[in-house]
Amino acid sequence: MNVLIVGAGIAGPTLAYWLLRAGHQPTLVERAPELRRGGYLIDFWGAGFDVADRMGIVPELRRRGYVMHEARSVGRDGRLIGSIKTSAIMGALDRYVSIARTDLAATIYAALDGGAELILDDTVRALDDDGDRVRVTFENSASRDFDLVVGADGLHSQIRRLAFGPDEQFEQYQDMVVSVFDIEGYRPRDELVALMHAEPGFQVVRVSLRDDVTMVIFTVRHDGPVPLGSVAEQQALLRERLRGAGWETSALLDAMPQARSFYFDAVSQIEMPSWTRGRVALVGDAAACPSLLAGQGSALAMVESYVLAAELARSAGDHQQAFARYRATLATFLQSKQAAARRLGLAFAPRNRFQLLVRDTTMRFMGIPKVTELAMGRSFRDAIELPDFAAV
Ligand SMILES: Cc1cc2nc3c(=O)[nH]c(=O)nc-3n(C[C@H](O)[C@H](O)[C@H](O)COP(=O)(O)OP(=O)(O)OC[C@H]3O[C@@H](n4cnc5c(N)ncnc54)[C@H](O)[C@@H]3O)c2cc1C
């Protein structure tokens, strides 16, 4: 089958890889003019790690990635509240790596070994599914027919809008915005340590990475309109909401305009009754974004792509059957991931003093190695059996 995959982030190239293994012809279309480098660091683990293992890319992920030493929670004056040492969960960390999201994407893309067509700097303007094929109108390239179209174009998916309807039907805003940026030469540094400081309404995180780079993450409660277009408005919102905050917040805000890359978005989940319609399907954040609160969106995106490709491989061209099995395999699992992520909202930005107290008390207990091992070891295991991949 000829399959158009829209979006060359995490889910798109993973799907292309497994479709190639099944003898299909995937085409990737990516809106960006080039595959990006840098950007925010993600933790990568669970069933998605198993998919990466089956693709043979784990050694490369480890080469590009990081093993963080510690996550430390500090108060307004910088005093230690609690800390989690990764040595306490080394067993679980055997299948865990921290890596830039774009390095994960680039590693998956490299595994395609040139086997999939890639169209950069383009997107889909219209879809016409006549039941036998989908006619795709691109923004720049000439129109083409495909057997299937898969939207792997992230949280604000254009394919979801075109095939399923407006975002408001599916997007569950979590009353929070997130910003991530990286700066060079910031002091102080704590090598490979994540320092976290929370007050009612927000959390500020500073992570010291290699090459004298510091990554900063702000998660801020916000219930007004989210300024998605203008960086100036986004930075003004952060300055306004974090005014008077303790610890290093004002120094980090001062460094923000010099950031090498700046990311800002709403924290939202996507909940849909179905991820497929006719010959169109969605994977990754486009289908079931769990948000950064899950700490696992990339891994889940890879699981979704793997399962969709495996079901297409075993349904011998019957895409309807494959689509039905795709959802049946994953719906409950992904719903539970989304629910768990929502419960973690208070850790990322406590709403009030009581939630802050709960968060800080949890951090104190997590500093006890046995407690860390018990609590985190369990949460690193995913309750899903990946289907076998029947290559043709
Ligand atoms: C701050 C932050 C921290 C996170 N931390 C973690 C973590 O620790 N662990 C983890 O696993 N996950 C984490 N995530 C979530 C993770 O980044 C996402 O779940 C993951 O990137 C989803 O992959 P995807 O391929 O579905 O979408 P994306 O990675 O968003 O990729 C979508 C691709 O589609 C392209 N695109 C978009 N629109 C169009 C269009 N109209 N036409 C063509 N192309 C288009 C984009 O340019 C992009 O390349 C975090 C997210 C954030 C925001």
Side-chain angles (χ1 to χ4, degrees):
M1 282 195 282
N2 288 312
V3 183
L4 178 69
I5 302 168
V6 184
I10 310 296
T14 307
L15 181 63
Y17 175 92
W18 290 103
L19 288 178
L20 280 170
R21 284 278 296 267
H24 299 298
Q25 291 88 48
T27 296
L28 284 157
V29 59
E30 166 61 48
R31 161 177 83 174
E34 56 184 359
L35 298 179
R36 277 175 278 226
R37 301 298 313 270
Y40 57 83
L41 201 71
I42 60 160
D43 296 318
F44 183 67
W45 50 280
F49 196 100
D50 299 339
V51 173
D53 210 3
R54 290 180 191 197
M55 296 169 72
I57 60 173
V58 168
E60 181 60 11
L61 297 182
R62 290 202 195 283
R63 196 186 67 76
R64 292 184 181 222
Y66 294 84
V67 177
M68 299 301 294
H69 297 322
E70 192 180 350
R72 224 179 266 161
S73 183
V74 295
R76 277 184 71 89
D77 53 2
R79 209 172 314 152
L80 184 69
I81 292 173
S83 112
I84 301 171
K85 293 222 169 37
T86 45
S87 53
I89 42 171
M90 233 32 202
L93 288 182
D94 183 36
R95 298 182 72 72
Y96 189 114
V97 65
S98 298
I99 184 168
R101 177 195 152 280
T102 48
D103 280 347
L104 173 60
T107 306
I108 300 168
Y109 183 76
L112 298 176
D113 209 13
E117 181 190 6
L118 172 66
I119 305 169
L120 288 168
D121 203 10
D122 206 352
T123 186
V124 170
R125 185 142 39 95
L127 297 172
D128 179 15
D129 180 352
D130 70 6
D132 293 323
R133 329 210 80 212
V134 190
R135 168 133 286 229
V136 177
T137 310
F138 292 97
E139 205 67 52
N140 302 322
S141 314
S143 299
R144 275 162 70 176
D145 288 348
F146 292 90
D147 296 306
L148 301 175
V149 171
V150 181
D153 47 348
L155 172 61
H156 306 288
S157 168
Q158 162 83 342
I159 298 305
R160 191 179 62 233
R161 270 193 295 278
L162 290 173
F164 298 84
D167 293 353
E168 303 81 76
Q169 284 182 24
F170 313 114
E171 184 173 346
Q172 306 292 331
Y173 178 53
Q174 302 297 306
D175 302 323
M176 202 186 295
V177 292
V178 56
S179 176
V180 188
F181 55 91
D182 50 11
I183 42 183
E184 279 176 321
Y186 179 86
R187 295 292 179 275
R189 281 180 64 79
D190 299 80
E191 298 302 323
L192 299 178
V193 174
L195 280 113
M196 310 175 291
H197 169 65
E199 293 182 32
F202 64 85
Q203 177 176 255
V204 176
V205 180
R206 151 163 85 70
V207 190
S208 303
L209 301 176
R210 59 175 85 102
D211 301 327
D212 206 4
V213 171
T214 295
M215 178 176 78
V216 181
I217 311 170
F218 294 141
T219 36
V220 177
R221 290 281 167 195
H222 177 68
D223 43 20
V226 179
L228 287 182
S230 145
V231 171
E233 279 181 45
Q234 293 164 354
Q235 297 197 351
L237 183 147
L238 293 170
R239 270 192 291 272
E240 199 261 312
R241 300 305 298 272
L242 296 171
R243 190 179 302 133
W247 186 52
E248 296 172 21
T249 310
S250 67
L252 295 170
L253 281 170
D254 287 347
M256 184 169 63
Q258 286 88 52
R260 303 187 312 171
S261 64
F262 180 79
Y263 171 94
F264 181 100
D265 206 345
V267 176
S268 290
Q269 296 190 329
I270 296 297
E271 288 176 30
M272 304 181 72
S274 174
W275 310 316
T276 59
R277 176 167 287 174
R279 289 181 168 271
V280 180
L282 301 173
V283 288
D285 276 4
C289 176
S291 81
L292 84 153
L293 309 177
Q296 213 191 354
S298 296
L300 298 176
M302 291 182 74
V303 169
E304 290 159 54
S305 292
Y306 174 85
V307 170
L308 178 58
E311 293 304 345
L312 282 166
R314 107 182 149 108
S315 71
D318 182 345
H319 73 277
Q320 281 173 328
Q321 187 186 65
F323 283 2
R325 285 194 187 142
Y326 163 51
R327 188 168 167 85
T329 307
L330 290 175
T332 311
F333 171 63
L334 292 175
Q335 278 157 10
S336 73
K337 288 286 174 188
Q338 290 188 323
R342 285 193 296 274
R343 289 194 293 274
L344 272 180
L346 79 88
F348 283 80
R351 287 179 192 279
N352 48 42
R353 297 222 159 266
F354 176 70
Q355 289 197 347
L356 181 65
L357 185 70
V358 173
R359 176 196 177 279
D360 288 351
T361 309
T362 310
M363 275 309 293
R364 273 189 198 102
F365 275 109
M366 292 297 268
I368 304 167
K370 269 279 161 236
V371 177
T372 319
E373 202 183 323
L374 263 175
M376 309 262 303
R378 188 177 309 135
S379 67
F380 285 144
R381 285 187 286 276
D382 273 339
I384 185 162
E385 188 98 9
L386 292 175
D388 276 337
F389 196 85
V392 286

